[in-house]
Amino acid sequence: MQAFIRYLSVTLVLVTMVACGDRKNKEADRILDSADALMTEHPDSALSLIEKIDTVGLDEEHFARYALLLTKAQDKNYIDPADDRLILKAVDFYQGKNNSEETQALYYYGYATYCRDSLRQSIPIISKCYNMAC
């Protein structure tokens, strides 16, 4: 009987964790969709929305999208990236997917590298991005 109760307890905890994680990802999706729609005309509002997202518990896909859109919003608000670790998460996730997110992530990674006064390192990154876009 105790084994059954322990099994039931563990199962309930796991189901609750999965449900909460899924809800958190859906909420992040909703906010990121709104921020993405605002990005061109109102980048300050987009940045404000993105900064409200609690990233703890986001899955890899949602965190990569968060990292990409946050970096993009910071750039559009003339905020240079402090380092390239955040956008590198997006680059790692989107690498090999051959989509616009991969191209954007590479562009912002090159930009972040350039902002670190590393022109020599940024040129091959931006060149790869350019070749993907053409």
Side-chain angles (χ1 to χ4, degrees):
M1 183 68 172
Q2 279 189 329
F4 176 73
I5 293 173
R6 187 174 304 154
Y7 172 78
L8 185 60
S9 297
V10 169
T11 302
L12 287 173
V13 167
L14 289 174
V15 167
T16 302
M17 287 173 55
V18 168
C20 288
D22 190 45
R23 187 177 74 232
K24 187 168 193 135
N25 288 323
K26 285 181 182 177
E27 177 68 13
D29 252 348
R30 186 186 64 73
I31 294 169
L32 291 171
D33 287 345
S34 297
D36 201 13
L38 291 169
M39 191 72 68
T40 303
E41 296 293 323
H42 305 285
D44 55 332
S45 299
L47 180 60
S48 178
L49 280 175
I50 295 167
E51 288 177 334
K52 292 178 183 177
I53 295 174
D54 179 10
T55 60
V56 176
L58 289 181
D59 63 20
E60 188 179 12
E61 176 183 1
H62 289 88
F63 189 82
R65 186 167 181 229
Y66 161 83
L68 176 58
L69 290 178
L70 177 61
T71 304
K72 187 176 182 178
Q74 288 173 334
D75 177 54
K76 289 188 175 287
N77 283 284
Y78 306 101
I79 301 169
D80 288 340
D83 60 49
D84 58 6
R85 287 180 288 176
L86 183 65
I87 192 60
L88 198 52
K89 299 273 187 188
V91 170
D92 289 343
F93 179 78
Y94 291 118
Q95 188 171 10
K97 293 192 173 25
N98 294 323
N99 57 21
S100 68
E101 286 83 4
E102 180 183 16
T103 306
Q104 290 179 56
L106 274 173
Y107 169 79
Y108 286 111
Y109 176 55
Y111 175 69
T113 305
Y114 173 76
C115 288
R116 281 193 350 248
D117 292 327
S118 189
L119 178 62
R120 195 159 20 108
Q121 286 182 333
S122 68
I123 289 173
I125 298 165
I126 294 172
S127 177
K128 181 178 179 182
C129 174
Y130 174 78
N131 291 334
M132 289 174 67
C134 291

